[in-house]
Structure formats: structure tokens, C-alpha cells
Amino acid sequence: MATDSAMFASSRRRQSPSLEAFLSPVDLSDVPLLRTLSSTSSEIVSCFSDVRFSFQRRNSRSLIRKVQVIAVLLQHLAPESSLDPTAVLCFKELYLLLHHSKFLLRYCAHSSKLWLLLQSPSLSSFFHDLSKDYSTLLDVLLPAESLCLKDDVREQVQLLHMQHYVDDNNDETLRNRLYSFLDEFENGSVPNSEELSFFFFEKLGIKDPTSYREEIEFLEEQIKSHGCDLEPTRSVINGFVDITRYVMFLLFKIEDSNEIKKQRKGLISEEIENTFTTLPKDFICSISLNIMNDPVVIVSTGQTYDRSSIARWIHQEGRSTCPKTGQKLVDLSFVPNLALRHLTTLWCQVNGLSHDSPPPKESLPKVFQTRASTEANKAAISILVRNLAHGSELAAGEIRVLTRTVTETRTLIVEAGAIPYLHSLLKSENAVAQENAVASIFNLSIDEANRSLIMEEHDCLEPIMSVLVSGLTMRAKEIATAALYTLSSVHDYKKTIANADGCIESLALVLRNGTVRGKKDAVYALHSLWLHPDNCSLVVKRGGVSALVGALGEESVAEKVACVLGVMATESLGAESIGREETVVTGLMELMRCGRPLGKEKAIATLLQLCTLGGAVVTEKVVKTPALAVLTRKLLLTGTDRAKRKAVSLSKVCKGCDQKTQR
């Protein structure tokens, strides 16, 4: 069988093939083999007889009829039949063909409609090859004397054998029409909206916003999961993604396409609205002090911790006691606490927070943007911007999605005039609209060319600051933090941003109270603002340094904080202000004790810098820390090359201080 299984291995919405699909049942013979084949063929008929196939209808129905006849043949074989070697070999081959048939039918039943249409030639070829394989098998099987088939059954099988494969021309006609729309966009013109809408709605049968989004997600999954040998090419598929999105906006109001999400959010809110008003202590990991992302129960004690934290406690730090109870852990294994994970997820969704997870990376690989894709995007964006202009708050959500990945799309959105409308939504009383607006501004600010438009031409700093200071959700505040970080990468804007009312104080609050993602952005933003000489005293005065030192106790950001403090400590003002913080030395020592190699390196480098420029008081505080000598010696043995050099330098500082004390 020449079936190319790689073709079917892409979508997360489909079940992967079982190993049975590629292995012959070599351990079965005679009666057990016949029973297995009868069961498999009956299952195929039962599962797919009532399925409405969108495409490959004739091929699918023809294949199901073949399997039906095979099922009849198998049912009429005598249970006690003793099969000759030729028949056994044929039935083992039949086992493979039935599984390939099941797989192909399932693929055609559950794949995206657009994808099936685009793959029509390949799929037709697969059906054709499968039909030939059945014919070849029957050529060998029917003459076998050991089958003892009744005349009527043999006649049905022979009629099946005589059936010829026929192409479904309707699929090819629709496929050609779909490509004609792509060609029109490629030539710089927008197809007639009525014809385009009729084709998608009536001919393809894609009739609601959810189905359009599923089509888009399915095609994007192909772009992401296939290599450069994808047919059609990734750029062509991307063009169809953009056309599908344009048709969705043509046919449905922006509010309609978000209705399901709104309903789901409402159900979640209703489910636990009055259950938790503050962050429940059971959601906090007692090791990391963060919301648990993946709670697990220790088998020995029944206590729950975040998986990453307890794994580090046991495996990396070599501890064998329970962090809460102090009990000796007889069994070091742990199991997921699924109920608690479900509750924390719901609580985070209702309160606009997210689990501690890294920022999302671009979901799609770099794809060459064809003219067709660009023109379809322009048409879709023009609809969105018109909706924004007429007060559609949810259109900002669509803008947010479009600005997430592709630079060319961000440029088109700016050119369409979206920024002024996003500016007005930043002060919206609708939490979803505000978050979508600030996220869209942040995504646009990723492109350097847009930063002056945001800061100067459209004067968005004040409303962004408003979101940072008094945003409706913590997530909106965190996104505003990220936006200020990217905007502050322009040197001329650093001072303007730092002097905005409440900026440093609000960044400090995000660093103290935000999610891991928000805390990281706050660290980056404070660091960026510090790099302007005129901002240093401001960052100190308004609590930025204190917040950074306090964050040394946060495992998730301690390493980055140590790096930033090390940079700040290269100036006397920074070293002195950091040294005045009560917890800075213990925080850096803790990082030296149990951090990663890079974290330990950053910690000792910062301590050395504090001793160098922080003054005698700071140096004395560092040198007199009891654990310093032990940790320094350990780094001399196990640290990175840079950490070893810093350890040697710090040891010299300690010796110098001891000599002065003795004198």
C-alpha cells in the first residue's frame, strides 16, 4: 500500500493513527484473523455510513460500499474454515487495507473543508490507489478454494471487483473557483463581495463565525507543522487564511464572532463569581509563593506544591523532607492535583490573571507574504477599522490577533488609521476592550517604525499610563508595562516616560503583585528607564530600586533582577541605593546558594560591584555575612569561568577588609 501517512499527521484536532494501521496481525490465523477482520469492517461501516462528507463524497461512499461487501463476505465464511496459505496472506493484507480505509475516511470526515478542497488531487489519488489495491487483493482471493463462498456472496464480491474509480469533478470545479479568488487578490483587485460570500457560505457550507475560525486555525496548523515541501506552498495557504478571515468579517458583525467567548466568560464568572474574592492561600505554592501552574500532591504527605518547585526541591537541591511539615519523604513521587488546577485556572480567568507562563512566541513560522495575502489583509483590516470608527469595542480584539505576529500586517493596520481609535479605547470602561486596545498598541510598538507614531503623532503615552496606573485588570496593567518597555527602547522617550505621573510607582507595583510574565516586563522596563542618566535618581526616589531588591526573593525573576541590579551598581548612586536595602545581601546570597549557574554568576558579580562602588558601609555588610565565605569557595570550585573570576576578586576584597579590621 502506497499511502503517505505523513499527509495525515498535522492537525491537533485529529487522532493519530494507531500502530495497528501499519502492522499486519502476523500472530493471527484462520478463525481469530477472520473475527478481527469482521469486527474492523463492521466498525468502519457503522462509523461512516451516516457521515455527511463535505468533499470526496463519491470516493468516500464508494469506499464504504466496498467495505460493506467485504463485511458480508467475512460474515458468510464458515467459522470453522481452514484457510490455505494464500487466503491467509490475502486476509492479512486486507487487515492493512481496512485500517488505511478507516484512516482515510476519518481524515475526510473531520478535516477542514478548505484543506480538503486544496488537497483534492492528492486525496483523489489516495482513493484511487486504495481502490486498485482492493482489486488486486480480490484477484488473488476470489479463486481461493478454501473460502467456500455461496454463489450470491461471490456475485456481490465480483460486482464490487468490477467497479471502476471515478473522479468527482464537482470538487475540482470548486477548487478552481477558490483559486480564482486568490488570483483576483493577487492581481490587486478585491473579488465581488456577494460572489465571494456566496461561495464560502453556500458552496463550501461554512456558515457561522466559529466554523470560520476553525478553518483558519486548521490552515495555520498546516503552515506551522509542515516543512517547505507543503503543497500548496505555505504562502499560498496563508493567502487562503487571509481570504477566509476577510469573508468572515464580510458576513458577520465583529460582535457576533466573539459571542461564544463572551458567553463562555460569563459562564465561568457565574460559576465561581462569589466563591473567591481574594487570592485563596490554597492556590499559592509554599515554595515559590506564586500561583500554582501545575499543582501536584506529594504521595508521602498529601501536601500540594507546584510541580516545578517541588521537583527542584527534591531533585536539584537533594532534599528529602516535606517543605511544609518537615516529614521525611519515604516516597518521593507525586501525582497531579487536577481539581485544584481546574479551580486555579477558573479563578485566574475571572480575575484577568494568567498562570505563570512564558510570553507566547510567534505561533506561525515566517511565511513569504504574497500580494494576494496583502490585498486580502487590507480588505479585512478596512472592515475592522470601520468597526472601530463606529465604536465597536470588540474589533480591537481582532486587531490584537492580527498584530500579534506578522510585521507586514502591523504596517497595514497603522496605514489604515487604527491607532487613533485604539487610543480612545484605552480609557474604555469595558475591561475586555481596554485590554485588547493596550495589547494592540503593544504589538504595534514592537515595530520600531511605529513607536514615533504612538508616542508623538497620536500621543498615546498618557492613556497607556492611565492603564498602567488604574487599568481595569492586572493583565491590562502588565501589557501596558510591556508597551512602555518597548517604547522606552527609544532613548529620547526614556525621560518622558519616567517623568509621567505614577510611572515608576506603578511599575514597582506590577513587579510586586503581577504574574511572572508581568514581573519580567516590569524588570525590563525599570532597567530600560534607568539607562537614561537623568532617570537614575527618579527610579531610586520613587521605589524602583526597592521593588527590584524585593523581587530577589521571587525565584522566577531573581536571576534577571540580579543582572539588572548589577548594571545599576556600576554607578555610585545605584550601588549606594541598592546597598541601603536591608534584604539585598541575603537575596543575592540565596541566589548564590540555590540558583542556576548563570544566576549564581550574576549574584556574585552584583555583590562585587556593591563592594566596589557602594562605600564602606555596604562593603562591610557584604563581608560580614556569615555564609559568604562558604558560598564563594563553592563557586571557586563549581561556578562558571566568570563566576570564578568574580569569586577570586570578592575574596580579595574580604581579605582586605579583614586586614583593615586587624590593624
Side-chain angles (χ1 to χ4, degrees), residues 601-636:
E601 176 188 307
K602 299 299 182 185
I604 195 167
T606 303
L607 286 171
L608 179 60
Q609 203 64 49
L610 291 176
C611 292
T612 304
L613 292 177
V617 174
V618 176
T619 303
E620 186 177 357
K621 183 192 295 187
V622 173
V623 170
K624 288 188 175 181
T625 304
L628 179 63
V630 174
L631 293 174
T632 303
R633 283 197 298 271
K634 187 174 181 180
L635 277 185
L636 282 170

Side-chain angles (χ1 to χ4, degrees), residues 231-243:
E231 177 60 38
T233 65
R234 294 191 299 183
S235 296
V236 170
I237 295 174
N238 192 56
F240 286 121
V241 167
D242 295 326
I243 292 173

Side-chain angles (χ1 to χ4, degrees), residues 330-605:
V330 180
D331 187 344
L332 298 180
S333 60
F334 37 80
V335 295
N337 189 334
L338 299 179
L340 184 59
R341 179 169 186 172
H342 176 65
L343 286 175
T344 56
T345 300
L346 292 178
W347 190 91
C348 288
Q349 288 175 326
V350 170
N351 288 275
L353 302 175
S354 62
H355 280 94
D356 294 345
S357 55
K361 298 181 179 179
E362 293 197 352
S363 58
L364 296 178
K366 181 66 176 177
V367 178
F368 174 73
Q369 295 291 298
T370 62
R371 185 177 183 183
S373 184
T374 299
E375 294 299 326
N377 261 324
K378 280 183 180 179
I381 289 166
S382 67
I383 295 175
L384 288 177
V385 174
R386 284 200 301 272
N387 277 271
L388 280 176
H390 288 88
S392 172
E393 295 176 323
L394 291 173
E398 304 293 349
I399 295 287
R400 177 182 184 176
V401 173
L402 290 176
T403 56
R404 190 173 293 157
T405 55
V406 184
T407 299
E408 291 84 350
T409 304
R410 293 195 281 263
T411 301
L412 294 176
I413 287 170
V414 170
E415 291 175 350
I419 292 179
Y421 305 117
L422 294 171
H423 177 288
S424 63
L425 284 178
L426 289 170
K427 292 189 177 181
S428 171
E429 293 301 316
N430 182 308
V432 175
Q434 184 184 75
E435 184 178 315
N436 285 333
V438 73
S440 298
I441 291 289
F442 163 62
N443 291 338
L444 292 174
S445 72
I446 293 171
D447 295 348
E448 186 177 350
N450 295 333
R451 292 168 193 166
S452 62
L453 295 174
I454 294 169
M455 287 290 291
E456 297 175 28
E457 184 174 333
H458 299 295
D459 195 21
C460 292
L461 178 59
E462 189 274 330
I464 293 173
M465 283 303 313
S466 176
V467 176
L468 175 65
V469 174
S470 56
L472 299 174
T473 65
M474 176 56 77
R475 184 71 194 115
K477 294 179 181 181
E478 291 179 351
I479 299 171
T481 298
L484 292 175
Y485 167 54
T486 57
L487 293 170
S488 68
S489 64
V490 179
H491 184 77
D492 293 344
Y493 299 153
K494 293 182 189 294
K495 187 174 180 180
T496 304
I497 293 171
N499 280 285
D501 289 341
C503 177
I504 305 298
E505 296 90 339
S506 297
L507 290 175
L509 283 174
V510 171
L511 183 50
R512 290 189 180 99
N513 304 322
T515 64
V516 170
R517 185 172 167 183
K519 288 176 179 179
K520 288 179 180 178
D521 286 330
V523 171
Y524 295 142
L526 288 168
H527 177 223
S528 180
L529 296 177
W530 175 273
L531 296 177
H532 195 294
D534 294 345
N535 291 341
C536 295
S537 59
L538 205 60
V539 173
V540 173
K541 181 180 178 182
R542 296 184 178 176
V545 170
S546 295
L548 285 166
V549 172
L552 281 171
E554 299 282 347
E555 180 184 355
S556 56
V557 295
E559 188 175 297
K560 291 178 173 59
V561 169
C563 182
V564 171
L565 291 176
V567 173
M568 291 180 166
T570 58
E571 299 180 22
S572 297
L573 174 62
E576 292 169 3
S577 59
I578 293 169
R580 285 195 294 269
E581 296 294 327
E582 290 295 326
T583 61
V584 65
V585 176
T586 55
L588 291 170
M589 291 288 186
E590 181 64 17
L591 187 57
M592 284 177 63
R593 186 180 68 82
C594 59
R596 298 187 309 164
L598 182 60
K600 294 177 180 180
E601 176 188 307
K602 299 299 182 185
I604 195 167

Side-chain angles (χ1 to χ4, degrees), residues 36 55 129 146 162 168 185 201 227 239 264 279 308 314 321 325 360 436 450 464 523 563 587 596:
T36 300
F55 299 101
D129 290 343
S146 61
M162 295 170 60
D168 196 331
F185 278 112
F201 195 88
R264 182 173 179 270
L279 179 61
S308 60
I314 294 173
T321 57
T325 65
N436 285 333
N450 295 333
I464 293 173
V523 171
C563 182
R596 298 187 309 164

